[in-house]
Amino acid sequence: MSQTIEATRRGFLATASAALGAFTLGFRIPEAAAQPAAAATPELNAWVVIHPDDRIVVRIARSEMGQGTLTGLAQLVAEELNADWSKVSTEYPTPGQNLARNRAWGNMSTGGSRGVRESHDYVRKGGAAARMMLVQAAANRWGVPAADCAAAKSMVTHAASGRSASYGSLAAEAAKLAPPTEITLKDPKDWTIAGKPLPRLDTVDKTNGKQVYGADLKLPGMLNAAIRDCPVFGGKLASFDAAAITSRPGVRKVVRVNDSAVAVVADTWWQAKTALDALPVVWDEGPNAQVSSESVAAWLKEGLDAPQAAVGNRVGDARAAIAAAPRKLEAVYGYPHQNHACMEPMNATALWTAERCEVWTPTQNGEAALAATAEAAGLPPARCEVHKIHLGGGFGRRGAVHDWVRQAVAIAKELPGTPVKLLWSREEDMLHGLFHPVTQCKLTAGLDAQGNLTGMHMRISGQSIVASIFPQNIRDGRDPVVFQGLNPDGPEAAIGYSIPNLLIDHAMRNPHVPPGFWRGVNLNQNAIYLECFMDELAHEAGKDPLEFRRSLMQRHPRHLAVLNAAAERAGWGTPAAPVNGLPVHRGLAQTMGFGSYVAACAEVSVTPAGEVKVHRIVAATDCGHAVNPQQIEAQVEGSFVYGLSAALYGECTVKAGRMEQENFDTYPMLRLDEMPKVETVILPSGGFWGGVGEPTIAVAAPAVLNAIFAATGKRIRTLPLKHHDLRRA
Amino acid sequence: MAKLTVNGRVHDVAVDPETPLLWVIREQIGLTGTKYGCGVAQCGACTVHVDGQAVRSCSLPVSAVTEAQKITTIEGLSPDGGHPVQKAWVALDVPQCGYCQSGMIMAAAALLAENPKPSVADIRSGITNICRCGTYNRVQAAVQRAAGTSAAG
């Protein structure tokens, strides 16, 4: 038995390795990977491999899902390496290798816009150490001091003697040297590779069909699985009638998966999917079948005035200040559940034997995928491996929770020695997301006679992602991530206003719908609540929204700088040119999240029939160090697509305990004909490292909503916009 | 047994005639550049050309296609990635995750074949594929660039 498996494994390893090209190391058992710098491997350290023909392979621990981290991290390593960029390619070390080598590659988690900002230091040091070792190897070869040698463009030269040697010719000798203990990184102002708008390294294969995604994986002897989980969250699988479908063409097995799902395994996925569609299934839906969006909303509404709430930010006495204020303003906002809707549905290919389990999957966190694999396989992690594959979208869905990996392994356990690819249908993907948390927010504020803001209370009621996914991080009932963009200060997600009396608190209400980290996370709704209410306050105070904000931002210079940049570039204070005879109105928003400062000015027109058109958005970003400006622009533009899709259309509603939206016909999203012009202003102030994949999403909706108010006088306080009637009265 | 002409080669495929063309291309013929996104002709990730027309292959039964009809997938758009649309895509670094991009490129190529000098409005209304990463502005720019290149070349 085990011999057969070994033969099979070798057979498909060659295929899998070829299929995945340079992006995996192919199959290696962890024991073999545990010996670094083996004779045949020209590895200078965990990050840098240099082949004798001068090819440089930079190892990337974070996952590429479109955000460009692969290219950005390679730029940082290559910069310190003084590499010839044209010779640089990349590969993923596997989570099993990371485990075997005592986490030589550190954290593999790719979320929270952390890819660059949390690993820049050690990957640059990896590049610098490799360069120093190459220089030392050349100095040793020539019998000269290393200080007299210089490295540039993958060559070490000794000017005094006119000698030079390529990195490829030095790598084997350099790899034998002890790594340097003192490493000085370059001043970013001297960068020639990092900080430049270089083309991505992964573009060409994405234009000719060669890029292999998890859904495309083919292994010899592989079977395909389709799955259906109980549509009511928390419900169970009661029974199914396998006999009704086992004679269908291609069907191999019908499998109970854990306690809530059933899968059909067949020769092809289409056979599995259509057989599953025909399978009679009885669910035990349980008490959650009574839940609806209306019942969730009523529960959250109760939280808006509940006595118990966890405090996220407190300055002075907000309640007293508001009570004493001559003018008061109150508004209630709400934000719905949303699905990530990655273009590539969830999938994993698993091969299980009693000795070993391997998984091939698109994941934002290879280490978490390995842990999920081991747990589902009933094997120690050292006997498991995960092969990471580029993601067809991640957006937070493929990070912390690997529900699809557990399912794939559970199915593969029923077919020992046979690789099985589990691919979710779009319907399964829509019904079993980890949804953007649902929240409501009541904002109450007091203004003095001159229209100055004297106190504000922001009560958030609703769902906590952390309580569901990392409950150990809840302290005294407080979820710190709920307050993204509203925190007192700090480098991650601080509020940009000084308000003399301020209370921001959260009444946690967790419906049965599983929440997840949805690109932008809690910054999305928090920025809508705060920035739209700021607009309301400015209006109430009779002040210009920009001036009103500026008066509260003097002690927040970076927040203010991006707001000013967006406003000035957009032409705030001067009338916008009409489009198609319709007046164009502007709206502003700013926030801070994921370590970066962002602002947007949206230009919007509304037809008499109530149709909203977003014409242009000027977006400003200060991410400290800008590693690849053209990819930052791509992320900013993409953020508006994600954020505007949410604002205009995004909503998953609960009925009878399950999600009502099952495909893109009922979960529409922005398309090219609605895409505004986006002008990106990058203000890299240096001195810190901020993320760029997420923060801009949060300013998309409030900037547009504020512009809609300017155009119509109507305040939109609940999303999506499609539910609101904006026709002129 | 159906016969399909894909990228200039005739393939014999033994499948249920109701099987969508997408799954025949991916699972029987083995070309996986054409993607499954929604299965209901909403997103366009499965776009291929049938006799030069952009078709959402997830919703077209294989029985609706004859051997005489020429099916082109992303793998067959050009032998070496040299189609003007592919070149423009590379020049402007359009893809992010890339999953929808085969369909985008096939939609763009079909649009330009029919309308070599599209206006911006033609491009915006003619490309209806979904991209969740949000590459739309670069898609638009790349189609314009490809149109210019086509004219120049």
Side-chain angles (χ1 to χ4, degrees):
Chain A
M1 180 68 187
S2 77
Q3 275 184 342
T4 313
I5 294 163
E6 280 303 316
T8 310
R9 187 187 287 165
R10 274 192 216 102
F12 73 68
L13 283 174
T15 316
S17 187
L20 297 179
F23 296 106
T24 75
L25 296 172
F27 175 77
R28 284 188 200 166
I29 58 170
E31 287 76 9
Q35 284 119 44
T41 311
E43 175 186 300
L44 279 83
N45 55 43
W47 305 101
V48 178
V49 171
I50 301 179
H51 291 273
D53 63 0
D54 291 334
R55 281 181 299 121
I56 296 171
V57 180
V58 175
R59 302 247 181 79
I60 306 294
R62 311 283 174 158
S63 299
E64 178 58 52
M65 51 190 155
Q67 83 282 36
T69 205
L70 187 92
T71 305
L73 289 169
Q75 283 178 264
L76 290 172
V77 175
E79 176 64 56
E80 294 291 342
L81 184 59
N82 288 359
D84 177 347
W85 178 249
S86 70
K87 296 190 164 61
V88 172
S89 64
T90 63
E91 68 182 13
Y92 289 141
T94 67
Q97 291 164 340
N98 204 28
L99 178 70
R101 289 179 60 171
N102 197 23
R103 294 191 92 205
W105 291 279
N107 189 353
M108 291 188 153
S109 173
T110 314
S113 299
R114 282 191 293 263
V116 166
R117 69 191 174 109
E118 286 191 1
S119 52
H120 63 87
D121 184 66
Y122 53 78
V123 303
R124 286 188 295 153
K125 283 178 177 162
R131 182 198 72 230
M132 293 165 75
M133 291 158 73
L134 290 159
V135 169
Q136 187 62 54
N140 293 352
R141 186 188 285 179
W142 299 327
V144 301
D148 291 350
C149 300
K153 293 222 163 172
S154 288
M155 295 287 291
V156 181
T157 52
H158 182 248
S161 64
R163 283 176 290 196
S164 67
S166 75
Y167 280 7
S169 72
L170 293 164
E173 291 160 60
K176 293 175 192 156
L177 301 175
T181 51
E182 283 188 32
I183 297 169
T184 305
L185 296 175
K186 293 180 186 177
D187 187 325
K189 74 175 168 48
D190 299 325
W191 284 350
T192 59
I193 298 171
K196 304 303 172 196
L198 301 182
R200 296 172 65 112
L201 294 170
D202 55 348
T203 290
V204 172
D205 282 358
K206 292 176 176 176
T207 64
N208 57 22
K210 286 184 183 158
Q211 179 69 56
V212 174
Y213 298 85
D216 304 331
L217 202 73
K218 281 177 282 194
L219 302 178
M222 185 182 83
L223 297 176
N224 290 273
I227 196 165
R228 181 168 303 151
D229 201 346
C230 181
V232 176
F233 308 108
K236 308 286 184 217
L237 174 66
S239 64
F240 56 90
D241 180 11
I245 61 162
T246 42
S247 63
R248 290 176 65 100
V251 171
R252 300 295 191 96
K253 199 157 190 173
V254 186
V255 181
R256 173 183 282 270
V257 184
N258 303 322
D259 63 355
S260 67
V262 58
V264 176
V265 182
D267 292 340
T268 70
W269 187 78
W270 185 252
Q271 290 169 334
K273 190 257 182 208
T274 47
L276 180 63
D277 288 344
L279 178 69
V281 181
V282 179
W283 304 110
D284 172 9
E285 297 185 342
N288 290 335
Q290 309 304 315
V291 180
S292 67
S293 282
E294 290 73 23
S295 68
V296 170
W299 189 30
L300 267 56
K301 184 168 184 287
E302 176 269 324
L304 294 175
D305 297 305
Q308 283 267 318
V311 174
N313 197 341
R314 193 202 307 263
V315 180
D317 188 340
R319 290 178 201 274
I322 296 164
R327 294 157 79 186
K328 299 180 184 63
L329 194 66
E330 181 181 297
V332 175
Y333 285 76
Y335 195 87
H337 283 121
Q338 313 227 12
N339 191 298
H340 297 80
C342 304
M343 289 304 296
E344 180 192 22
M346 299 304 113
N347 67 84
T349 302
L351 170 62
W352 185 91
T353 67
E355 297 83 35
R356 181 164 175 78
C357 184
E358 281 181 81
V359 164
W360 290 255
T361 193
T363 171
Q364 290 178 240
N365 187 343
E367 293 178 296
L370 181 63
T373 297
E375 200 176 299
L379 291 165
R383 299 177 74 90
C384 298
E385 182 59 288
V386 168
H387 304 275
K388 291 163 51 178
I389 305 176
H390 277 12
L391 294 78
F395 313 123
R397 176 64 183 88
R398 293 182 151 116
V401 178
H402 287 81
D403 42 343
W404 74 95
V405 169
R406 292 171 192 274
Q407 290 176 343
V409 172
I411 296 165
K413 278 179 88 168
E414 300 288 324
L415 295 131
T418 299
V420 181
K421 178 164 73 184
L422 169 67
L423 171 65
W424 286 14
S425 66
R426 175 58 58 193
E427 289 76 14
E428 192 68 11
D429 202 272
M430 286 297 297
L431 290 175
H432 290 286
L434 298 170
F435 296 84
H436 193 297
V438 62
T439 58
Q440 296 178 13
C441 183
K442 179 190 265 190
L443 297 112
T444 319
L447 296 166
D448 68 15
Q450 289 74 45
N452 299 307
L453 180 59
T454 56
M456 187 172 88
H457 179 200
M458 187 169 178
R459 162 61 64 86
I460 301 162
S461 172
Q463 202 163 12
S464 159
I465 307 165
V466 173
S468 173
I469 296 179
F470 300 119
Q472 67 276 19
N473 293 347
I474 300 288
R475 300 276 157 75
D476 301 324
R478 184 176 181 274
D479 169 4
V481 181
V482 156
F483 301 103
Q484 274 182 308
L486 306 173
N487 293 303
D489 50 31
E492 178 70 21
I495 195 168
Y497 301 111
S498 300
I499 300 169
N501 297 284
L502 175 68
L503 176 62
I504 301 175
D505 54 10
H506 174 226
M508 195 186 295
R509 298 287 183 278
N510 291 321
H512 75 304
V513 175
F517 298 97
W518 193 97
R519 191 178 181 190
V521 195
N522 293 306
L523 200 64
N524 295 327
Q525 73 272 16
N526 289 347
I528 293 170
Y529 301 156
L530 181 60
E531 286 303 290
C532 289
F533 194 61
M534 275 292 158
D535 222 66
E536 294 203 42
L537 287 169
H539 184 72
E540 178 69 21
K543 296 183 182 178
D544 173 82
L546 176 60
E547 290 307 322
F548 185 78
R549 285 181 173 82
R550 280 174 172 164
S551 69
L552 299 167
M553 296 178 73
Q554 295 310 309
R555 285 194 278 133
H556 307 272
R558 283 184 169 134
H559 292 81
L560 181 59
V562 291
L563 179 66
N564 282 335
E568 283 161 20
R569 170 76 171 264
W572 187 268
T574 64
V579 176
N580 298 329
L582 285 170
V584 171
H585 297 269
R586 296 195 179 103
L588 288 170
Q590 64 83 21
T591 192
M592 179 202 183
F594 308 97
S596 288
Y597 304 81
V598 294
C601 182
E603 294 185 347
V604 167
S605 67
V606 182
T607 67
E611 192 190 351
V612 175
K613 279 204 188 318
V614 185
H615 301 285
R616 172 188 183 226
I617 296 179
V618 176
T621 296
D622 180 1
C623 55
H625 294 295
V627 174
N628 187 324
Q630 68 102 350
Q631 282 301 301
I632 294 171
E633 287 176 12
Q635 286 303 297
V636 169
E637 288 176 13
S639 292
F640 285 111
V641 178
Y642 218 67
L644 292 178
S645 291
L648 297 176
Y649 305 116
E651 179 184 42
C652 295
T653 50
V654 181
K655 189 174 181 183
R658 73 202 74 198
M659 286 305 179
E660 291 190 277
Q661 292 72 22
E662 296 193 28
N663 209 314
F664 297 156
D665 51 349
T666 49
Y667 190 72
M669 43 199 69
L670 204 76
R671 298 180 195 240
L672 178 52
D673 64 341
E674 296 174 298
M675 181 66 194
K677 184 180 177 199
V678 176
E679 295 172 31
T680 304
V681 184
I682 304 172
L683 302 168
S685 59
F688 67 100
W689 299 74
V692 297
E694 296 177 87
T696 298
I697 294 167
V699 289
V704 167
L705 295 178
N706 291 337
I708 288 173
F709 174 78
T712 65
K714 292 183 180 176
R715 289 289 177 196
I716 307 298
R717 300 192 182 95
T718 57
L719 293 177
L721 205 48
K722 67 180 178 184
H723 293 319
H724 295 273
D725 184 353
L726 293 172
R727 282 176 296 187
R728 302 246 171 90
Chain B
M1 186 78 78
K3 282 187 185 294
L4 288 180
T5 306
V6 179
N7 301 335
R9 277 187 57 196
V10 179
H11 297 261
D12 293 314
V13 290
V15 289
D16 180 330
E18 291 302 305
T19 307
L21 178 61
L22 167 67
W23 292 101
V24 176
I25 290 170
R26 288 179 59 82
E27 300 201 296
Q28 267 76 33
I29 297 173
L31 297 173
T32 56
T34 307
K35 304 303 184 195
Y36 166 64
C38 67
V40 294
Q42 279 283 319
C43 75
C46 64
T47 303
V48 300
H49 297 171
V50 177
D51 288 339
Q53 299 283 315
V55 168
R56 295 194 170 172
S57 64
C58 73
S59 300
L60 185 70
V62 66
S63 56
V65 187
T66 67
E67 183 186 351
Q69 290 180 291
K70 293 189 175 68
I71 299 164
T72 307
T73 71
I74 184 72
E75 292 90 348
L77 184 63
S78 67
D80 54 358
H83 187 282
V85 170
Q86 289 170 305
K87 285 162 69 178
W89 244 248
V90 172
L92 298 186
D93 235 0
V94 174
Q96 290 187 29
C97 90
Y99 193 81
C100 74
Q101 297 289 319
S102 295
M104 282 281 185
I105 288 168
M106 296 307 283
L111 175 80
L112 290 177
E114 192 175 304
N115 180 2
K117 289 284 180 190
S119 66
V120 169
D122 292 338
I123 297 168
R124 290 170 70 87
S125 63
I127 306 284
T128 59
N129 299 31
I130 291 174
C131 172
R132 280 297 267 171
C133 296
T135 60
Y136 296 127
N137 285 348
R138 289 194 187 191
V139 165
Q140 181 179 315
V143 176
Q144 289 175 292
R145 183 184 176 102
T149 305
S150 300

